[in-house]
Amino acid sequence: MSTAEMTGAQMIVQALKDQKVETIFGYPGGAVLPIYDALYGQNDIKHILVRHEQGAAHAAEGYARSSGKVGVLLVTSGPGATNAITGLTDALLDSIPLVCITGQVPTHLIGSDAFQECDTVGITRHCTKHNYLVRSIEDLPRILHEAFYVAQNGRPGPVVIDIPKDVQFARGDYVWPRHVEHRTYKPRLEGDAAQIERALDLMATAKRPVFYTGGGVINSGPEASKLLRELVALTGFPITSTLMGLGSYPASGANWLGMLGMHGTFEANHAMHDCDVMINIGARFDDRITGRLDAFSPGSRKIHVDIDPSSINKTVKVEVGIIGDCTHVLRAMIDQWKSRKLMADEPALKDWWKQIEIWRGRKSLHFKNSTSVIKPQHAVRRLHALTRGRDTYITTEVGQHQMWAAQHFDFDEPNHWMTSGGLGTMGYGLPAAIGVQMAHPDALVIDIAGEGSILMNMQEMSTAAQYRLPIKIFILNNEYLGMVRQWQELLHESRYSESYSHSLPDFVKLAEAYGAHGIRVSDPADLDAAIQEMIDTPNAVIVDCRIDKLENCFPMIPSGKAHNEMILADDADLELEAVIDAEGRMLV
Amino acid sequence: MIAPSKPPLSPYSSKAFQEESKPHTLAVLVDNEPGVLARVVGLFSGRGYNIESLTVAEVAHNELLSRITIVTSGTLDAIEQIMHQLDRLVPVHKVTNLTLEFRGKTVARELALIKVKGRGQVRQEALQLADAFRARVVDASTESFVFELTGAASKINDFVDLMRPLGLVEVSRTGVAAITRGPNEM
Ligand SMILES: Cc1ncc(C[n+]2csc(CCOP(=O)(O)OP(=O)(O)O)c2C)c(N)n1
Ligand SMILES: [Mg+2]
């Protein structure tokens, strides 16, 4: 433990250094001026000046997700804090570790409706894993380090530290505990051995098993992905993953079924529906995954590994719940499988794979390509093909393009796919790409975007310009809020209420206005050249890729339906409105 | 042998399987820090759980610990989820379901102050009933009483019902405090 006398603002910078933080994203204002002063003239921490605090939060998320470290943002009181709320909520729902430092009016003014005062801890109580209002300088060092501990231990999440300006100016003793142990918060890492034994009993006798994995595997670190691959190889079981878990098992792997859920593959969803043993590792039975709950995988016995005890039995009852970190539990599973010399039921598994091949034969991701108009699926596939072999990171916005990216860009590594899953935040992808590029300066970082979403945080192109970040924005421009239009076709007899993207800017000129390179492509024959030009351009690029305006995203489990009631592209010509019943219409 | 699961509760279907909802008393030990009560109450409102009674006070001054007693109703699944959600809050030390884990081996008490106004015959009657319920008179004027009554919530309900026709003015209740019987900690 080291002690030194300094101001609160200096303590903040010192604590960031001690936590090995290299990059922070932020925006200054009156209530954080002392902290900005402490940042001035030092070189250990690089501050990225965003153009909107929401951008800072998403950039910190992209940084955290792609690097496995805690993302840090620094914003001022009042509007600075409220602008960051969407990003904090996004991080809460996707379990991303963030530390957000907010300035606050001086302690003696709190509660007086002072200029740029807001009740930051009150407002963020519901969208953070934990938050602190620092009332005295004595508490500051402990809280700073505790915040990093809480953000990254257990189920990761965002933590807010609200620091009044007088506390930033006050002098006190800075202590760095080095080893933080929280009084109450001690998440459990090792799974219960007896439960793991029961899980393996189920797995060894399973006739129709399936692994269903999620973002928890990614959050647990790269080791978890390695172990997952080993366990899949050892058992020979098929594996599917949620949107959040893509990349933990390679899409090129033999046992890969594709993503599951609302826009998942036919084989993945049918395997989930018909399996007899489901092994959920680090996923949470989200409603985008389960579809209609009372028809969800009715004949299976379920194993659920999760670090958050509240996730187990929350919506779906399981037979074996294992509370623990994926890395630890997967390792224990592999060790036991080997030491007990367990074997999968090979003949049964062979039949199961035969059935899966039949489902695969349905080719649910198939689409009719065209020579006259660029199909979005084709564009994503070409993006994947032309970037293969490079260290490529993909972020997305939210909508149809996001689902096409998830379906058609085959991810082989964890931490290379950044998307807003739980909250579904349009405007996530561009700032997230900035965060990813900061963490991986030499990588190719592409935001697969929609023309609607990209405008939500377009101002961050200016940030990219300032720091010469060569991010690539690939807009699948259908001139529609496409996912909204698709649901209007499904639910509201194609009355396209406010879902047309009117008065779009000229994205090529917009790119140029931001000092970036703009490319427009609308002829399928020019697509590869446009993508290659994007890749070869050393600075930031916006590609305005004009795609088929009315393409819809399939396959799809309509709301209120079960996994085996999917609709596919080739039966999508049937009356879509007839597919969803009254109850399904109520759902989102 | 592991039994196949019951049909799960479903927010997506009216055919959802509904188990009976019952009241449970939860004891929650928390760090006595600013905002902790707001976290607990906010969790209940945010996730749509109901609170029937809530009491909170510091119980260990040196360790800065407070004890919150919450009476909430729900199915067993819902109660289990509520307990996990409470446990997930960073300043929460321990969550115990006194109703389930110590069935019949807990003492639950509530204190009520009950003001009754009246003269003559009804006044006499109120006093007699108070006596039968072992309520104490903590304030008296020529035309009113304030009774103090401690007991199970149901006993207080009964007493209040009896006072209603006799000139009940108002009631102030503390909410339930509960503890396990015997020598052990919760
Ligand atoms: C901040 C926010 N507002 C609204 C929505 C609802 N929403 C979901 S997808 C979508 C349309 C997105 O349009 P675009 O970015 O063009 O993508 P496309 O679906 O056309 O690929 C909307 C409005 C949202 N997800 N996020
Ligand atoms: Mg669009």
Side-chain angles (χ1 to χ4, degrees):
Chain A
M1 199 178 289
S2 50
T3 314
E5 214 231 27
M6 57 181 85
T7 68
Q10 288 166 335
M11 285 183 192
I12 294 163
V13 175
Q14 188 57 46
L16 294 178
K17 287 182 194 171
D18 290 344
Q19 289 288 341
K20 308 235 170 350
V21 174
E22 290 165 359
T23 307
I24 67 174
F25 303 88
Y27 208 91
V32 283
L33 282 178
I35 307 174
Y36 273 86
D37 196 47
L39 282 169
Y40 189 76
Q42 55 80 46
N43 289 317
D44 296 313
I45 293 160
K46 185 157 176 66
H47 178 276
I48 301 298
L49 178 69
V50 293
R51 300 300 188 261
H52 185 294
E53 290 86 350
Q54 185 188 355
H58 294 322
E61 283 188 277
Y63 184 91
R65 276 176 164 184
S66 65
S67 69
K69 298 186 206 159
V70 176
V72 180
L73 61 149
L74 169 61
V75 300
T76 193
S77 65
T82 55
N83 272 351
I85 300 290
T86 303
L88 294 172
T89 313
D90 194 90
L92 182 70
L93 276 163
D94 284 347
S95 307
I96 309 301
L98 294 187
V99 167
C100 169
I101 297 170
T102 57
Q104 182 56 277
V105 301
T107 321
H108 70 275
L109 288 180
I110 290 179
S112 70
D113 298 323
F115 178 62
Q116 294 196 325
E117 181 188 359
C118 75
D119 177 5
T120 301
V121 286
I123 294 171
T124 60
R125 194 170 288 133
H126 303 273
C127 62
T128 54
K129 179 174 173 185
H130 195 50
N131 62 15
Y132 303 87
L133 170 61
V134 185
R135 285 160 197 276
S136 80
I137 186 76
E138 286 74 38
D139 295 333
L140 184 60
R142 174 186 59 80
I143 289 176
L144 284 165
H145 292 287
E146 202 178 287
F148 276 86
Y149 173 87
V150 171
Q152 60 195 319
N153 282 278
R155 182 175 179 170
V159 176
V160 162
I161 317 174
D162 196 28
I163 311 178
K165 198 167 178 179
D166 55 327
V167 176
Q168 299 171 28
F169 276 124
R171 295 189 73 84
D173 287 331
Y174 172 75
V175 275
W176 177 24
R178 280 171 206 271
H179 181 71
V180 177
E181 248 218 63
H182 197 269
R183 225 152 79 94
T184 55
Y185 190 68
K186 298 183 175 82
R188 158 173 196 169
L189 297 178
E190 302 291 342
D192 182 83
Q195 291 296 92
I196 292 176
E197 198 176 322
R198 285 180 65 205
L200 291 180
D201 289 344
L202 278 180
M203 285 162 64
T205 52
K207 304 214 173 302
R208 299 183 309 280
V210 65
F211 280 109
Y212 147 45
T213 62
V217 180
I218 309 245
N219 276 339
S220 179
E223 185 65 14
S225 294
K226 268 197 216 140
L227 293 165
L228 176 68
R229 292 162 189 219
E230 192 179 337
L231 186 61
V232 172
L234 214 52
T235 56
F237 294 175
I239 173 168
T240 177
S241 158
T242 66
L243 183 74
M244 298 304 295
L246 295 178
S248 55
Y249 183 84
S252 56
N255 297 31
W256 178 240
L257 300 182
M259 181 175 78
L260 83 162
M262 186 172 265
H263 292 290
T265 66
F266 193 73
E267 54 270 36
N269 285 333
H270 275 261
M272 288 289 282
H273 189 266
D274 286 4
C275 67
D276 70 340
V277 173
M278 178 186 296
I279 310 126
N280 171 346
I281 305 189
R284 60 182 177 91
F285 295 109
D286 176 81
D287 58 64
R288 297 291 98 159
I289 295 305
T290 59
R292 203 175 111 200
L293 262 182
D294 56 3
F296 173 68
S297 194
S300 65
R301 290 183 288 180
K302 300 172 185 76
I303 299 161
H304 187 182
V305 180
D306 203 303
I307 198 156
D308 179 359
S310 78
S311 283
I312 294 174
N313 290 328
K314 181 164 74 177
T315 50
V316 172
K317 277 268 187 193
V318 298
E319 277 69 30
V320 184
I322 301 171
I323 299 162
D325 177 62
C326 292
T327 304
H328 291 78
V329 176
L330 282 165
R331 189 176 291 128
M333 283 178 150
I334 291 169
D335 289 350
Q336 265 201 41
W337 185 273
K338 287 181 178 163
S339 66
R340 289 171 62 194
K341 300 200 167 45
L342 295 177
M343 303 270 276
D345 182 341
E346 289 300 338
L349 205 53
K350 220 170 152 196
D351 287 345
W352 180 225
W353 273 111
K354 240 184 253 164
Q355 174 60 60
I356 289 171
E357 283 311 322
I358 295 173
W359 289 324
R360 267 188 181 158
R362 194 71 178 77
K363 294 201 187 320
S364 61
L365 294 181
H366 181 76
F367 58 95
K368 270 188 226 124
N369 210 354
S370 158
T371 51
S372 57
V373 57
I374 298 176
K375 290 285 182 174
Q377 303 93 324
H378 177 65
V380 173
R381 294 196 152 264
R382 292 315 298 160
L383 261 182
H384 180 239
L386 293 170
T387 56
R388 195 172 278 166
R390 291 170 186 270
D391 191 22
T392 309
Y393 291 78
I394 300 293
T395 71
T396 74
E397 308 291 334
V398 170
Q400 292 180 319
H401 62 275
Q402 176 190 29
M403 292 298 118
W404 285 317
Q407 292 173 334
H408 296 278
F409 199 104
D410 293 335
F411 295 93
D412 279 343
E413 294 301 329
N415 304 97
H416 282 62
W417 162 245
M418 268 54 58
T419 194
S420 170
L423 196 64
T425 311
M426 291 170 70
Y428 168 86
L430 166 45
I434 288 175
V436 175
Q437 192 80 75
M438 281 308 300
H440 307 276
D442 300 321
L444 175 63
V445 183
I446 306 173
D447 172 23
I448 298 181
E451 85 296 336
S453 301
I454 194 65
L455 289 175
M456 286 214 174
N457 274 319
M458 189 44 120
Q459 76 287 346
E460 298 306 329
M461 279 306 288
S462 178
T463 310
Q466 180 176 349
Y467 299 96
R468 302 183 187 284
L469 301 175
I471 55 169
K472 318 295 181 201
I473 312 298
F474 193 86
I475 304 173
L476 293 174
N477 185 348
N478 54 4
E479 288 179 34
Y480 274 105
L481 304 176
M483 193 56 97
V484 172
R485 178 187 45 68
Q486 178 166 348
W487 280 60
Q488 287 172 333
E489 288 174 22
L490 281 163
L491 295 177
H492 301 285
E493 292 152 359
S494 299
R495 288 187 295 277
Y496 296 162
S497 179
E498 307 292 332
S499 56
Y500 181 67
S501 293
H502 272 285
S503 311
L504 284 171
D506 179 332
F507 284 110
V508 171
K509 284 191 187 147
L510 193 58
E512 285 159 9
Y514 281 117
H517 180 54
I519 302 172
R520 179 167 299 116
V521 57
S522 51
D523 186 337
D526 302 333
L527 179 63
D528 277 17
I531 293 174
Q532 200 57 51
E533 186 184 339
M534 173 189 90
I535 296 170
D536 293 340
T537 304
N539 55 331
V541 179
I542 296 178
V543 179
D544 180 11
C545 180
R546 301 300 184 95
I547 57 162
D548 188 342
K549 292 182 191 173
L550 294 178
E551 187 73 14
N552 279 338
C553 188
F554 292 108
M556 179 179 190
I557 305 177
S559 32
K561 296 284 180 186
H563 275 171
N564 57 352
E565 298 176 288
M566 298 194 76
I567 40 178
L568 281 82
D570 49 14
D571 45 43
D573 294 336
L574 61 94
E575 289 288 294
L576 279 188
E577 297 123 48
V579 176
I580 298 181
D581 57 22
E583 238 175 286
R585 279 165 185 271
M586 304 292 285
L587 309 175
V588 286
Chain B
M1 186 54 203
I2 299 155
S5 50
K6 277 186 283 180
L9 282 174
S10 169
Y12 289 101
S13 168
S14 54
K15 295 180 280 294
F17 167 81
Q18 268 297 336
E19 207 187 312
E20 202 189 337
S21 175
K22 288 201 177 117
H24 289 249
T25 305
L26 309 181
V28 189
L29 216 52
V30 298
D31 278 333
N32 184 11
E33 61 180 33
V36 66
L37 188 60
R39 272 180 224 287
V40 170
V41 174
L43 185 141
F44 275 75
S45 64
R47 291 188 182 265
Y49 311 139
N50 71 317
I51 297 178
E52 292 180 7
S53 158
L54 180 139
T55 65
V56 54
E58 193 170 70
V59 289
H61 183 69
N62 294 338
E63 297 159 67
L64 289 173
L65 282 181
S66 284
R67 181 165 168 138
I68 304 178
T69 308
I70 305 171
V71 183
T72 179
S73 335
T75 60
L76 283 181
D77 287 346
I79 298 290
E80 188 190 319
Q81 181 61 207
I82 292 173
M83 291 177 65
H84 283 313
Q85 291 293 351
L86 283 168
D87 212 20
R88 211 157 81 116
L89 298 177
V90 171
V92 168
H93 286 246
K94 196 166 187 196
V95 185
T96 308
N97 186 331
L98 297 175
T99 307
L100 267 196
E101 289 167 46
F102 300 93
R103 201 185 295 263
K105 298 211 181 80
T106 57
V107 188
R109 290 289 181 272
E110 190 177 355
L111 184 143
L113 297 171
I114 300 133
K115 184 177 285 186
V116 181
K117 182 178 161 189
R119 287 174 183 273
Q121 184 60 34
V122 282
R123 187 174 160 81
Q124 274 311 311
E125 223 174 292
L127 208 52
Q128 276 165 9
L129 282 166
D131 204 37
F133 273 78
R134 290 174 215 268
R136 291 200 308 139
V137 176
V138 289
D139 177 74
S141 73
T142 51
E143 51 168 349
S144 71
F145 286 121
V146 174
F147 297 118
E148 175 196 307
L149 178 59
T150 308
S154 57
K155 175 177 165 183
I156 295 173
N157 292 343
D158 290 347
F159 184 71
V160 170
D161 285 345
L162 288 171
M163 288 301 113
R164 215 175 297 279
L166 302 180
L168 181 74
V169 179
E170 61 183 356
V171 186
S172 172
R173 297 171 70 148
T174 58
V176 176
I179 204 160
T180 60
R181 294 181 190 271
N184 299 329
E185 254 184 287
M186 75 176 212

